[in-house]
Amino acid sequence: FSRAHPNLRLDVRADQSLNLKRDIERGELDLALLKRGVDDTRAAIAAWPEQVHWVTSKSHPVNLDSGSLPLIGFPLGCIYRTRAIHALESAGRAWHMAYTSSSLAAIQAAVAAGMGLSILSEMSVQSDHRVLTAREGFAPIDRTEVALVASPDASPATLRLADRLAEFCDKVQAKAA
């Protein structure tokens, strides 16, 4: 997109969806790709459903019978973290944060190393992770989606970029299916 539109300046930021939503609402961002619950009714240019799973290490699994389950997750405000905590507390299971990071790669590595369990999207589960099941006491997490949202006053150039980004996400989704 940048090569096709050399006079446009892109300022790309990776951040938690909570912050991206806030910045769209404040008019500080024109376009955001963020995670949200499927029940979020705010307008989106496009949305793609996510399947999320409880995961532990395949080689060094967490002791699921321990008094307090070690949880790995993103910082406060992350939809995955919130849903994981809610699910554990609803099931009456004790938990503690064992590892927090803003980096997906770091979270994946911490899970693989056996530092704790986490919830990850289907696309983020790696070969050295093991998906936990409802039979093991880990019920499915409420569904989430990745949504492409634009500022209400988005420019035509922003909307062209949104179309290209939606096409790319459609292709990624099709490959993952």
Side-chain angles (χ1 to χ4, degrees):
F1 189 86
S2 294
R3 284 188 297 277
H5 304 279
N7 294 329
L8 291 179
R9 187 188 86 211
L10 290 180
D11 179 3
V12 180
R13 178 181 353 154
D15 204 343
Q16 285 187 293
S17 295
L18 178 75
N19 298 331
L20 297 174
K21 283 182 204 177
R22 179 200 63 215
D23 292 347
I24 282 278
E25 291 167 0
R26 289 181 178 172
E28 295 173 10
L29 287 177
D30 297 321
L31 191 63
L33 193 59
L34 48 86
K35 294 180 186 258
R36 67 185 195 177
V38 295
D39 55 347
D40 192 326
T41 58
R42 286 177 277 198
I45 293 168
W48 301 270
E50 280 194 311
Q51 183 70 33
V52 294
H53 301 283
W54 285 102
V55 292
T56 188
S57 172
K58 195 177 275 185
S59 302
H60 312 286
V62 169
N63 177 0
L64 301 179
D65 296 322
S66 70
S68 178
L69 293 171
L71 191 60
I72 296 171
F74 289 95
L76 285 172
C78 171
I79 189 170
Y80 287 2
R81 178 183 175 129
T82 301
R83 291 186 178 202
I85 291 169
H86 176 74
L88 291 173
E89 290 180 350
S90 294
R93 300 192 77 165
W95 62 274
H96 65 276
M97 286 308 298
Y99 184 82
T100 301
S101 177
S102 295
S103 163
L104 173 60
I107 288 172
Q108 291 168 316
V111 169
M115 291 182 67
L117 55 95
S118 189
I119 59 170
L120 294 174
S121 69
E122 178 113 10
M123 291 175 52
S124 300
V125 175
Q126 298 184 320
S127 61
D128 49 3
H129 298 157
R130 183 173 70 80
V131 173
L132 297 167
T133 65
R135 281 177 288 186
E136 294 171 285
F138 294 89
I141 299 292
D142 290 340
R143 294 179 324 160
T144 59
E145 65 185 13
V146 175
L148 179 60
V149 297
S151 166
D153 57 346
S155 70
T158 297
L159 296 176
R160 284 195 302 276
L161 174 58
D163 288 341
R164 294 282 298 273
L165 191 52
E167 289 172 17
F168 173 79
C169 290
D170 284 340
K171 289 178 186 173
V172 169
Q173 185 76 5
K175 283 183 184 177

